[in-house]
Structure formats: C-alpha cells, structure tokens
Amino acid sequence: PPPADAGGGAAALSGAAPPAAVPADPDRLFVMGCDLSHLSPAVQFATCSGGVFAFTLVYGYLQELIVVALCGRKLSLFLATVQFGGYAIWSAWL
C-alpha cells in the first residue's frame, strides 16, 4: 500500500483526481462570495466603498471597546500613537 500521505492529501488516498481549476474571468467581480458582476460599475463602486466604510466603523468601535472596557483608557494615547506610526510607515512605504 502507498504511504499515508504521498503529497496529495486526501485525493491521493482516495485515488480521486484533484478538482480542475476554474479559469478566472476578468469581467466578474466577487466580493466576500457575492457576485457583483450584474451591477453597474457605479453600484459596484458604491457597494465596495460602503463595505470598506462599514468595516472601518466596526473596527473603530471594537478598538474603542477594548481601550475603554479592558484597559480603562490607560493605553489609549499609546494605541493612537502606535496606530499613527504604523499608518505613517505604510504610507511612506507604499
């Protein structure tokens, strides 16, 4: 019998062929598993930018919750400084 893992994982064990790769279609837009290809470019842009805005709001809320509830506002200035420094480094690098 072949070794337990011959480099092919479960497909090698079962003898099944690996799934064929689906060719990428540059005209299709998938965001988080949702197909937005049928929407106009303006609606696609509004949907994507609205998603970025919504996730930024959630990120800010959770960050404030951590600073206020868990740290008692003791580390808020430190966190803001580290975050600003990180953004400055990324913007200089990019």
Side-chain angles (χ1 to χ4, degrees):
D5 188 7
L13 291 176
S14 67
V22 178
D25 186 4
D27 296 331
R28 299 194 59 156
L29 175 65
F30 286 93
V31 177
M32 296 182 67
C34 298
D35 185 13
L36 302 180
S37 303
H38 63 281
L39 301 173
S40 69
V43 174
Q44 289 177 358
F45 176 77
T47 302
C48 291
S49 57
V52 169
F53 183 72
F55 278 107
T56 302
L57 285 178
V58 170
Y59 166 75
Y61 174 76
L62 292 175
Q63 187 176 19
E64 283 295 316
L65 183 67
I66 289 170
V67 168
V68 171
L70 297 180
C71 300
R73 292 191 187 267
K74 294 177 186 169
L75 299 174
S76 59
L77 185 58
F78 172 74
L79 181 63
T81 304
V82 169
Q83 185 175 1
F84 177 75
Y87 289 160
I89 290 170
W90 276 108
S91 63
W93 184 58
L94 297 176

